[in-house]
Amino acid sequence: MINPISIAFKKAKQQSRPALLTYTVAGDNSKKKSLEILKSISNNVDICEIGFPHNTPIADGGQIQTSSNRAIKNGLKINDVFKIVKEFKKKFISKPVILMGYYNMIYQYGENKFLEKCKRSYVNGLIVVDLPWPENKIFSNKCKKKSIAFIQLLSPTTSDERLKKIIKDSHDMIYYISMLSTTGGKLKVSPKKILTNYNKIKKIDPKKNCVIGFGITEKTISALKSADGLVVGSAICKEITRSLKYRQNPVTNVSKIVAKLRNKIS
Amino acid sequence: MRIKKKIPLIDQHDKFGFWGKKFGGSFIPETLKKPVDDLTKEFQKLRKNKSFLKKRDFYFKNYIGSPTRFIKLEKLSNHLGGAQIWAKVVSDANGGAHKIYNATVHALICKSMGKKYIVGDTGAGYAGKMLSMAAKKFDLKCKIFMGIKDIKRQKPNCDAMRKNGAEIVPVYTGSQTLVDAVSECMRYWVSNCDTTHMCVGSTVGPNIFVKICGWSTAQISRELKKQIKKEFNKFPKKIKLINCVGGGSSAYGFWSEFIDYPKTKIEFIGVEAGGPKYSKLHAAPLSKGAKLGVLHGAASYVCQDNEGQINETESISAGLDYPGVSPLHCFLKDTKRAKYTYATDEEALNAYKLVTKYEKLNPSLEPSHAFAEAIKIAPKLNKDIVVIVNSCGDAKKDRDILRKRLGRII
């Protein structure tokens, strides 16, 4: 069976546009609201990345930290994350879902139990921020056996030799980090430079779907639309924070922003 | 799990950086892979380079002021009766604590890598103060990440950092202590690793930082070994080396030269922060049986909940107030080479009172935890037994806390 993630890229390609990936934190600002957000943006999104929040995230900037803290403070547990995904998939079974987080949470849950639970909640892919290659080899093979895509990360600091090896060991999708930054940083590199690096990756294996993330907002997204996919995370988390501050409904506000993002790349 | 002889403990890890196949490693975002690799290669090269070693020894002697004293605490021993208590007065070192060793080595490495900026984390403020001193000495621009709670309670060290021209970046997230300072420092490094060198303030963090720090503080036990031989005509039959453990950099440095001795001859006791007497919170992952977890790029015993969220910690001593601990100490614990216990805030304060009453010594709240254990066990021991406490920090930084808790001006 082809992973729904690959199908999502194919569909976007047929429409001559990059796939749109969004990142939201499960349980932000509540379990119910985060599920409502997913449902409301689903039409405009090709792949949903859902964060399982950690309280010591070493690669996340302020926006995602704020979202994560909100979710944890509201009592979100890992099992709630699976429940949210399962509930979402009841209505949108073909919409791919990627879980993203830090290794300690998977380790405490137990790798095998975690993957079994992913499988049963129809999770399609996993990103583990602090489990780099080659340390992730065993775990990524476990994912493969369960038909869950393990998404390898690449960054501007990744050497050419390393790029080749990681891409060779990667599954259908790879994730290129646009710049030296935590999530949500201001885009400090020109889109042209980012795409040069992106093309270098594509040249190594054109068949792998490569997405670009970090620093992508309404302002910067259209300049990067030649990529296979683009991830927006912090801009959405920021919108939730803003909505709460002004006592507005985050569901409608996030939904509007995502529609705009989609428009910019269509 | 076994410790090998004749190989420094810092080098007894596998190719993925794990001690005993499970402690340590490098759990880092992809962006940091290259800077960490570069640093690893540079350090491998430098530690074999004779002129670098000469430079290190020069600065250790002329800048840090090695060797620090090794003294008998005659009056305290007499008061307690039982074992003889000695102190290695590492707080004699320039700046007032052992953190200067790691800071100096990192500044030298930073220089040698051609980087002009150096960043570091700090809890008690000693790691930050020392890094700011070393940065000033070697003409580097320096930023120090520090939790806002620690900035308030360790003001004298903050004043020193600013005086040395370092910028203190206050950290407001989480518990606003060392754990968040380390996270924020790592995030800063992720964003600036092309121009900036990072110094981790203890034997924690990704594998290479554990190694560099342990290699630096090992100076303490190199000196002590010579000093013991000089002080005693006959090498004592039984020695107990007592050290406080937060991240564990001073304890590793205090013990490293003696690891190959049988533990019946030289015993290691690590003392963690037990927190306030009636509080559930503590910073004692080893002695209170915390589970293995991943924090700040390394696997170690970590104070955490069932889900893997890192617990808040509480201790009167900012330098020990950290939920994780060095993988080296996890390894020493599981191989049973060292044993670990804890002292409460109150016990540390009482120890401080007693030590300062009898001796001309002013240990900070961190080594006061170690003294608390020495005071507890010494009366029960025979006087042939030599108890040595690493007095690894000076209490000047703690003046506000001591004034508040003991009503005493120091």
Side-chain angles (χ1 to χ4, degrees), chain B residues 56-95:
Chain B
R56 176 197 69 174
D57 293 340
F58 174 83
Y59 287 112
F60 275 11
K61 185 162 174 244
N62 299 297
Y63 173 62
I64 295 178
S66 290
T68 58
R69 284 175 300 153
F70 173 53
I71 56 169
K72 186 170 185 191
L73 305 182
E74 199 87 55
K75 287 181 192 150
L76 184 68
S77 304
N78 287 343
H79 167 73
L80 292 169
Q84 31 180 315
I85 303 176
W86 292 66
K88 171 79 175 147
V89 193
V90 174
S91 59
D92 281 349
N94 192 7

mmCIF file of all heavy atoms in Angstrom, chain B residues 56-95:
data_model
loop_
_atom_site.group_PDB
_atom_site.id
_atom_site.type_symbol
_atom_site.label_atom_id
_atom_site.label_comp_id
_atom_site.label_asym_id
_atom_site.label_seq_id
_atom_site.Cartn_x
_atom_site.Cartn_y
_atom_site.Cartn_z
ATOM 1 N N ARG B 56 47.563 24.943 28.151
ATOM 2 C CA ARG B 56 46.593 24.637 29.207
ATOM 3 C C ARG B 56 47.277 24.681 30.577
ATOM 4 O O ARG B 56 46.809 25.351 31.499
ATOM 5 C CB ARG B 56 45.985 23.248 28.980
ATOM 6 C CG ARG B 56 45.033 22.835 30.100
ATOM 7 C CD ARG B 56 44.770 21.347 30.097
ATOM 8 N NE ARG B 56 45.958 20.573 30.486
ATOM 9 C CZ ARG B 56 45.963 19.256 30.665
ATOM 10 N NH1 ARG B 56 44.861 18.559 30.476
ATOM 11 N NH2 ARG B 56 47.062 18.624 31.013
ATOM 12 N N ASP B 57 48.409 23.975 30.675
ATOM 13 C CA ASP B 57 49.096 23.908 31.962
ATOM 14 C C ASP B 57 49.589 25.282 32.418
ATOM 15 O O ASP B 57 49.558 25.602 33.596
ATOM 16 C CB ASP B 57 50.262 22.914 31.888
ATOM 17 C CG ASP B 57 49.763 21.484 31.713
ATOM 18 O OD1 ASP B 57 48.569 21.252 32.030
ATOM 19 O OD2 ASP B 57 50.520 20.621 31.240
ATOM 20 N N PHE B 58 50.020 26.077 31.428
ATOM 21 C CA PHE B 58 50.465 27.427 31.750
ATOM 22 C C PHE B 58 49.331 28.231 32.395
ATOM 23 O O PHE B 58 49.492 28.846 33.438
ATOM 24 C CB PHE B 58 50.973 28.136 30.491
ATOM 25 C CG PHE B 58 51.318 29.580 30.719
ATOM 26 C CD1 PHE B 58 52.557 29.930 31.249
ATOM 27 C CD2 PHE B 58 50.400 30.588 30.441
ATOM 28 C CE1 PHE B 58 52.868 31.267 31.486
ATOM 29 C CE2 PHE B 58 50.703 31.924 30.678
ATOM 30 C CZ PHE B 58 51.949 32.263 31.199
ATOM 31 N N TYR B 59 48.155 28.216 31.748
ATOM 32 C CA TYR B 59 47.035 28.991 32.272
ATOM 33 C C TYR B 59 46.490 28.393 33.566
ATOM 34 O O TYR B 59 46.058 29.118 34.458
ATOM 35 C CB TYR B 59 45.937 29.154 31.218
ATOM 36 C CG TYR B 59 46.339 30.135 30.140
ATOM 37 C CD1 TYR B 59 46.575 29.714 28.833
ATOM 38 C CD2 TYR B 59 46.496 31.485 30.454
ATOM 39 C CE1 TYR B 59 46.971 30.614 27.858
ATOM 40 C CE2 TYR B 59 46.894 32.398 29.481
ATOM 41 C CZ TYR B 59 47.129 31.960 28.179
ATOM 42 O OH TYR B 59 47.508 32.850 27.226
ATOM 43 N N PHE B 60 46.492 27.078 33.670
ATOM 44 C CA PHE B 60 46.038 26.458 34.924
ATOM 45 C C PHE B 60 46.917 26.956 36.086
ATOM 46 O O PHE B 60 46.433 27.256 37.158
ATOM 47 C CB PHE B 60 46.101 24.925 34.830
ATOM 48 C CG PHE B 60 44.873 24.301 34.189
ATOM 49 C CD1 PHE B 60 43.929 25.084 33.546
ATOM 50 C CD2 PHE B 60 44.664 22.923 34.235
ATOM 51 C CE1 PHE B 60 42.793 24.527 32.960
ATOM 52 C CE2 PHE B 60 43.529 22.351 33.650
ATOM 53 C CZ PHE B 60 42.600 23.154 33.014
ATOM 54 N N LYS B 61 48.214 27.031 35.827
ATOM 55 C CA LYS B 61 49.131 27.428 36.892
ATOM 56 C C LYS B 61 49.105 28.941 37.139
ATOM 57 O O LYS B 61 48.933 29.386 38.272
ATOM 58 C CB LYS B 61 50.549 26.984 36.511
ATOM 59 C CG LYS B 61 51.560 27.240 37.599
ATOM 60 C CD LYS B 61 52.835 26.426 37.399
ATOM 61 C CE LYS B 61 53.856 26.830 38.444
ATOM 62 N NZ LYS B 61 55.044 27.432 37.899
ATOM 63 N N ASN B 62 49.247 29.705 36.076
ATOM 64 C CA ASN B 62 49.449 31.141 36.250
ATOM 65 C C ASN B 62 48.181 31.967 36.255
ATOM 66 O O ASN B 62 48.168 33.088 36.732
ATOM 67 C CB ASN B 62 50.378 31.664 35.157
ATOM 68 C CG ASN B 62 51.729 31.005 35.219
ATOM 69 O OD1 ASN B 62 52.436 31.144 36.199
ATOM 70 N ND2 ASN B 62 52.062 30.228 34.196
ATOM 71 N N TYR B 63 47.121 31.410 35.698
ATOM 72 C CA TYR B 63 45.875 32.174 35.642
ATOM 73 C C TYR B 63 44.879 31.649 36.679
ATOM 74 O O TYR B 63 44.297 32.398 37.454
ATOM 75 C CB TYR B 63 45.304 32.095 34.220
ATOM 76 C CG TYR B 63 43.945 32.689 34.048
ATOM 77 C CD1 TYR B 63 43.712 34.044 34.284
ATOM 78 C CD2 TYR B 63 42.870 31.898 33.619
ATOM 79 C CE1 TYR B 63 42.446 34.585 34.119
ATOM 80 C CE2 TYR B 63 41.602 32.435 33.449
ATOM 81 C CZ TYR B 63 41.396 33.781 33.704
ATOM 82 O OH TYR B 63 40.154 34.313 33.540
ATOM 83 N N ILE B 64 44.721 30.332 36.725
ATOM 84 C CA ILE B 64 43.775 29.738 37.675
ATOM 85 C C ILE B 64 44.409 29.631 39.064
ATOM 86 O O ILE B 64 43.743 29.802 40.081
ATOM 87 C CB ILE B 64 43.313 28.348 37.178
ATOM 88 C CG1 ILE B 64 42.507 28.506 35.885
ATOM 89 C CG2 ILE B 64 42.500 27.629 38.246
ATOM 90 C CD1 ILE B 64 42.029 27.203 35.273
ATOM 91 N N GLY B 65 45.706 29.363 39.088
ATOM 92 C CA GLY B 65 46.396 29.273 40.363
ATOM 93 C C GLY B 65 46.481 27.866 40.921
ATOM 94 O O GLY B 65 46.286 27.649 42.113
ATOM 95 N N SER B 66 46.769 26.897 40.077
ATOM 96 C CA SER B 66 46.948 25.527 40.537
ATOM 97 C C SER B 66 48.321 25.396 41.168
ATOM 98 O O SER B 66 49.251 26.061 40.727
ATOM 99 C CB SER B 66 46.866 24.566 39.357
ATOM 100 O OG SER B 66 45.558 24.519 38.900
ATOM 101 N N PRO B 67 48.518 24.520 42.158
ATOM 102 C CA PRO B 67 47.459 23.706 42.763
ATOM 103 C C PRO B 67 46.708 24.466 43.846
ATOM 104 O O PRO B 67 47.270 25.343 44.503
ATOM 105 C CB PRO B 67 48.257 22.549 43.389
ATOM 106 C CG PRO B 67 49.585 23.150 43.715
ATOM 107 C CD PRO B 67 49.848 24.216 42.697
ATOM 108 N N THR B 68 45.458 24.088 44.032
ATOM 109 C CA THR B 68 44.691 24.632 45.148
ATOM 110 C C THR B 68 45.062 23.851 46.403
ATOM 111 O O THR B 68 45.573 22.744 46.315
ATOM 112 C CB THR B 68 43.180 24.503 44.884
ATOM 113 O OG1 THR B 68 42.866 23.124 44.667
ATOM 114 C CG2 THR B 68 42.767 25.317 43.667
ATOM 115 N N ARG B 69 44.782 24.439 47.551
ATOM 116 C CA ARG B 69 45.255 23.835 48.814
ATOM 117 C C ARG B 69 44.566 22.512 49.153
ATOM 118 O O ARG B 69 43.425 22.265 48.739
ATOM 119 C CB ARG B 69 44.996 24.796 49.980
ATOM 120 C CG ARG B 69 45.968 25.959 50.067
ATOM 121 C CD ARG B 69 45.535 26.905 51.168
ATOM 122 N NE ARG B 69 44.197 27.449 50.917
ATOM 123 C CZ ARG B 69 43.368 27.857 51.875
ATOM 124 N NH1 ARG B 69 43.722 27.759 53.150
ATOM 125 N NH2 ARG B 69 42.189 28.370 51.568
ATOM 126 N N PHE B 70 45.320 21.710 49.937
ATOM 127 C CA PHE B 70 44.767 20.499 50.522
ATOM 128 C C PHE B 70 45.039 20.598 52.009
ATOM 129 O O PHE B 70 46.202 20.594 52.428
ATOM 130 C CB PHE B 70 45.455 19.274 49.891
ATOM 131 C CG PHE B 70 45.084 17.969 50.528
ATOM 132 C CD1 PHE B 70 43.750 17.595 50.673
ATOM 133 C CD2 PHE B 70 46.067 17.090 50.978
ATOM 134 C CE1 PHE B 70 43.404 16.373 51.246
ATOM 135 C CE2 PHE B 70 45.725 15.869 51.548
ATOM 136 C CZ PHE B 70 44.394 15.519 51.690
ATOM 137 N N ILE B 71 44.005 20.762 52.815
ATOM 138 C CA ILE B 71 44.232 21.073 54.231
ATOM 139 C C ILE B 71 43.455 20.144 55.162
ATOM 140 O O ILE B 71 42.400 19.626 54.803
ATOM 141 C CB ILE B 71 43.833 22.536 54.573
ATOM 142 C CG1 ILE B 71 42.363 22.805 54.178
ATOM 143 C CG2 ILE B 71 44.750 23.517 53.878
ATOM 144 C CD1 ILE B 71 41.816 24.118 54.721
ATOM 145 N N LYS B 72 44.006 19.979 56.357
ATOM 146 C CA LYS B 72 43.279 19.197 57.354
ATOM 147 C C LYS B 72 42.368 20.127 58.147
ATOM 148 O O LYS B 72 42.779 21.212 58.559
ATOM 149 C CB LYS B 72 44.257 18.494 58.292
ATOM 150 C CG LYS B 72 43.528 17.568 59.240
ATOM 151 C CD LYS B 72 44.465 16.675 60.031
ATOM 152 C CE LYS B 72 43.616 15.697 60.857
ATOM 153 N NZ LYS B 72 44.416 14.967 61.830
ATOM 154 N N LEU B 73 41.126 19.715 58.338
ATOM 155 C CA LEU B 73 40.209 20.504 59.150
ATOM 156 C C LEU B 73 40.290 19.966 60.587
ATOM 157 O O LEU B 73 39.452 19.187 61.036
ATOM 158 C CB LEU B 73 38.788 20.425 58.582
ATOM 159 C CG LEU B 73 38.652 20.836 57.100
ATOM 160 C CD1 LEU B 73 37.210 20.766 56.638
ATOM 161 C CD2 LEU B 73 39.219 22.237 56.841
ATOM 162 N N GLU B 74 41.326 20.413 61.249
ATOM 163 C CA GLU B 74 41.705 19.892 62.557
ATOM 164 C C GLU B 74 40.587 20.083 63.591
ATOM 165 O O GLU B 74 40.177 19.147 64.280
ATOM 166 C CB GLU B 74 42.977 20.645 63.014
ATOM 167 C CG GLU B 74 43.751 19.961 64.093
ATOM 168 C CD GLU B 74 44.754 18.948 63.546
ATOM 169 O OE1 GLU B 74 45.585 19.358 62.714
ATOM 170 O OE2 GLU B 74 44.671 17.758 63.931
ATOM 171 N N LYS B 75 40.097 21.315 63.654
ATOM 172 C CA LYS B 75 39.117 21.629 64.708
ATOM 173 C C LYS B 75 37.786 20.935 64.455
ATOM 174 O O LYS B 75 37.140 20.452 65.376
ATOM 175 C CB LYS B 75 38.918 23.147 64.774
ATOM 176 C CG LYS B 75 40.102 23.862 65.388
ATOM 177 C CD LYS B 75 39.840 25.360 65.441
ATOM 178 C CE LYS B 75 41.110 26.101 65.768
ATOM 179 N NZ LYS B 75 41.098 27.448 65.166
ATOM 180 N N LEU B 76 37.392 20.908 63.219
ATOM 181 C CA LEU B 76 36.130 20.229 62.887
ATOM 182 C C LEU B 76 36.242 18.740 63.199
ATOM 183 O O LEU B 76 35.322 18.134 63.768
ATOM 184 C CB LEU B 76 35.778 20.450 61.408
ATOM 185 C CG LEU B 76 34.437 19.866 60.953
ATOM 186 C CD1 LEU B 76 33.263 20.605 61.602
ATOM 187 C CD2 LEU B 76 34.291 19.921 59.432
ATOM 188 N N SER B 77 37.392 18.149 62.849
ATOM 189 C CA SER B 77 37.613 16.730 63.125
ATOM 190 C C SER B 77 37.557 16.468 64.628
ATOM 191 O O SER B 77 36.905 15.523 65.074
ATOM 192 C CB SER B 77 38.970 16.272 62.588
ATOM 193 O OG SER B 77 39.082 16.553 61.224
ATOM 194 N N ASN B 78 38.227 17.314 65.392
ATOM 195 C CA ASN B 78 38.231 17.145 66.841
ATOM 196 C C ASN B 78 36.834 17.284 67.426
ATOM 197 O O ASN B 78 36.442 16.535 68.308
ATOM 198 C CB ASN B 78 39.154 18.169 67.498
ATOM 199 C CG ASN B 78 40.611 17.825 67.255
ATOM 200 O OD1 ASN B 78 40.929 16.688 66.888
ATOM 201 N ND2 ASN B 78 41.486 18.803 67.431
ATOM 202 N N HIS B 79 36.109 18.269 66.918
ATOM 203 C CA HIS B 79 34.751 18.486 67.418
ATOM 204 C C HIS B 79 33.862 17.266 67.166
ATOM 205 O O HIS B 79 33.098 16.855 68.049
ATOM 206 C CB HIS B 79 34.138 19.714 66.748
ATOM 207 C CG HIS B 79 32.662 19.839 66.959
ATOM 208 N ND1 HIS B 79 32.108 20.216 68.170
ATOM 209 C CD2 HIS B 79 31.609 19.578 66.131
ATOM 210 C CE1 HIS B 79 30.794 20.203 68.063
ATOM 211 N NE2 HIS B 79 30.457 19.826 66.845
ATOM 212 N N LEU B 80 33.980 16.711 65.977
ATOM 213 C CA LEU B 80 33.108 15.593 65.621
ATOM 214 C C LEU B 80 33.592 14.278 66.233
ATOM 215 O O LEU B 80 32.792 13.411 66.571
ATOM 216 C CB LEU B 80 33.012 15.451 64.101
ATOM 217 C CG LEU B 80 32.287 16.592 63.365
ATOM 218 C CD1 LEU B 80 32.492 16.460 61.878
ATOM 219 C CD2 LEU B 80 30.807 16.612 63.701
ATOM 220 N N GLY B 81 34.914 14.142 66.374
ATOM 221 C CA GLY B 81 35.482 12.884 66.854
ATOM 222 C C GLY B 81 35.291 11.832 65.780
ATOM 223 O O GLY B 81 34.294 11.854 65.066
ATOM 224 N N GLY B 82 36.249 10.935 65.637
ATOM 225 C CA GLY B 82 36.108 9.927 64.585
ATOM 226 C C GLY B 82 37.065 10.200 63.453
ATOM 227 O O GLY B 82 38.232 10.577 63.695
ATOM 228 N N ALA B 83 36.607 10.044 62.249
ATOM 229 C CA ALA B 83 37.489 10.161 61.082
ATOM 230 C C ALA B 83 38.148 11.542 61.011
ATOM 231 O O ALA B 83 37.619 12.520 61.528
ATOM 232 C CB ALA B 83 36.699 9.912 59.811
ATOM 233 N N GLN B 84 39.324 11.603 60.376
ATOM 234 C CA GLN B 84 39.933 12.906 60.149
ATOM 235 C C GLN B 84 39.347 13.512 58.877
ATOM 236 O O GLN B 84 39.256 12.854 57.850
ATOM 237 C CB GLN B 84 41.452 12.804 60.055
ATOM 238 C CG GLN B 84 41.985 11.523 59.487
ATOM 239 C CD GLN B 84 43.495 11.519 59.430
ATOM 240 O OE1 GLN B 84 44.120 12.488 59.023
ATOM 241 N NE2 GLN B 84 44.083 10.401 59.836
ATOM 242 N N ILE B 85 38.946 14.774 58.980
ATOM 243 C CA ILE B 85 38.318 15.434 57.833
ATOM 244 C C ILE B 85 39.304 16.402 57.199
ATOM 245 O O ILE B 85 39.930 17.218 57.872
ATOM 246 C CB ILE B 85 37.041 16.188 58.251
ATOM 247 C CG1 ILE B 85 36.062 15.209 58.922
ATOM 248 C CG2 ILE B 85 36.374 16.840 57.041
ATOM 249 C CD1 ILE B 85 34.810 15.859 59.464
ATOM 250 N N TRP B 86 39.438 16.262 55.915
ATOM 251 C CA TRP B 86 40.309 17.132 55.127
ATOM 252 C C TRP B 86 39.468 17.833 54.058
ATOM 253 O O TRP B 86 38.367 17.394 53.743
ATOM 254 C CB TRP B 86 41.414 16.317 54.414
ATOM 255 C CG TRP B 86 42.409 15.711 55.341
ATOM 256 C CD1 TRP B 86 42.176 14.726 56.259
ATOM 257 C CD2 TRP B 86 43.798 16.037 55.439
ATOM 258 N NE1 TRP B 86 43.339 14.413 56.928
ATOM 259 C CE2 TRP B 86 44.355 15.206 56.438
ATOM 260 C CE3 TRP B 86 44.633 16.948 54.789
ATOM 261 C CZ2 TRP B 86 45.703 15.248 56.793
ATOM 262 C CZ3 TRP B 86 45.966 16.990 55.133
ATOM 263 C CH2 TRP B 86 46.504 16.154 56.140
ATOM 264 N N ALA B 87 40.042 18.917 53.529
ATOM 265 C CA ALA B 87 39.347 19.586 52.425
ATOM 266 C C ALA B 87 40.323 19.882 51.300
ATOM 267 O O ALA B 87 41.475 20.239 51.547
ATOM 268 C CB ALA B 87 38.702 20.881 52.906
ATOM 269 N N LYS B 88 39.842 19.662 50.088
ATOM 270 C CA LYS B 88 40.575 20.151 48.922
ATOM 271 C C LYS B 88 39.921 21.488 48.601
ATOM 272 O O LYS B 88 38.745 21.531 48.204
ATOM 273 C CB LYS B 88 40.427 19.141 47.768
ATOM 274 C CG LYS B 88 40.959 19.623 46.438
ATOM 275 C CD LYS B 88 42.464 19.517 46.341
ATOM 276 C CE LYS B 88 42.949 19.900 44.936
ATOM 277 N NZ LYS B 88 44.268 20.557 44.976
ATOM 278 N N VAL B 89 40.667 22.557 48.796
ATOM 279 C CA VAL B 89 40.047 23.882 48.706
ATOM 280 C C VAL B 89 40.087 24.390 47.260
ATOM 281 O O VAL B 89 40.846 25.295 46.913
ATOM 282 C CB VAL B 89 40.723 24.882 49.673
ATOM 283 C CG1 VAL B 89 39.865 26.143 49.794
ATOM 284 C CG2 VAL B 89 40.929 24.263 51.040
ATOM 285 N N VAL B 90 39.240 23.806 46.456
ATOM 286 C CA VAL B 90 39.207 24.175 45.035
ATOM 287 C C VAL B 90 38.692 25.601 44.850
ATOM 288 O O VAL B 90 38.983 26.260 43.857
ATOM 289 C CB VAL B 90 38.367 23.139 44.237
ATOM 290 C CG1 VAL B 90 38.185 23.559 42.793
ATOM 291 C CG2 VAL B 90 39.041 21.772 44.288
ATOM 292 N N SER B 91 37.984 26.096 45.865
ATOM 293 C CA SER B 91 37.503 27.487 45.776
ATOM 294 C C SER B 91 38.651 28.503 45.827
ATOM 295 O O SER B 91 38.430 29.688 45.600
ATOM 296 C CB SER B 91 36.497 27.774 46.889
ATOM 297 O OG SER B 91 37.096 27.550 48.146
ATOM 298 N N ASP B 92 39.873 28.031 46.105
ATOM 299 C CA ASP B 92 41.060 28.903 45.976
ATOM 300 C C ASP B 92 41.278 29.357 44.537
ATOM 301 O O ASP B 92 41.918 30.370 44.283
ATOM 302 C CB ASP B 92 42.340 28.129 46.353
ATOM 303 C CG ASP B 92 42.519 28.024 47.860
ATOM 304 O OD1 ASP B 92 41.783 28.706 48.586
ATOM 305 O OD2 ASP B 92 43.406 27.245 48.290
ATOM 306 N N ALA B 93 40.760 28.563 43.608
ATOM 307 C CA ALA B 93 41.008 28.850 42.183
ATOM 308 C C ALA B 93 40.511 30.245 41.827
ATOM 309 O O ALA B 93 39.551 30.739 42.440
ATOM 310 C CB ALA B 93 40.325 27.810 41.308
ATOM 311 N N ASN B 94 41.137 30.845 40.861
ATOM 312 C CA ASN B 94 40.750 32.170 40.394
ATOM 313 C C ASN B 94 39.244 32.208 40.115
ATOM 314 O O ASN B 94 38.725 31.362 39.399
ATOM 315 C CB ASN B 94 41.539 32.495 39.112
ATOM 316 C CG ASN B 94 41.400 33.958 38.730
ATOM 317 O OD1 ASN B 94 40.832 34.754 39.475
ATOM 318 N ND2 ASN B 94 41.942 34.309 37.568
ATOM 319 N N GLY B 95 38.549 33.159 40.718
ATOM 320 C CA GLY B 95 37.115 33.245 40.511
ATOM 321 C C GLY B 95 36.309 32.558 41.598
ATOM 322 O O GLY B 95 35.129 32.808 41.750
#
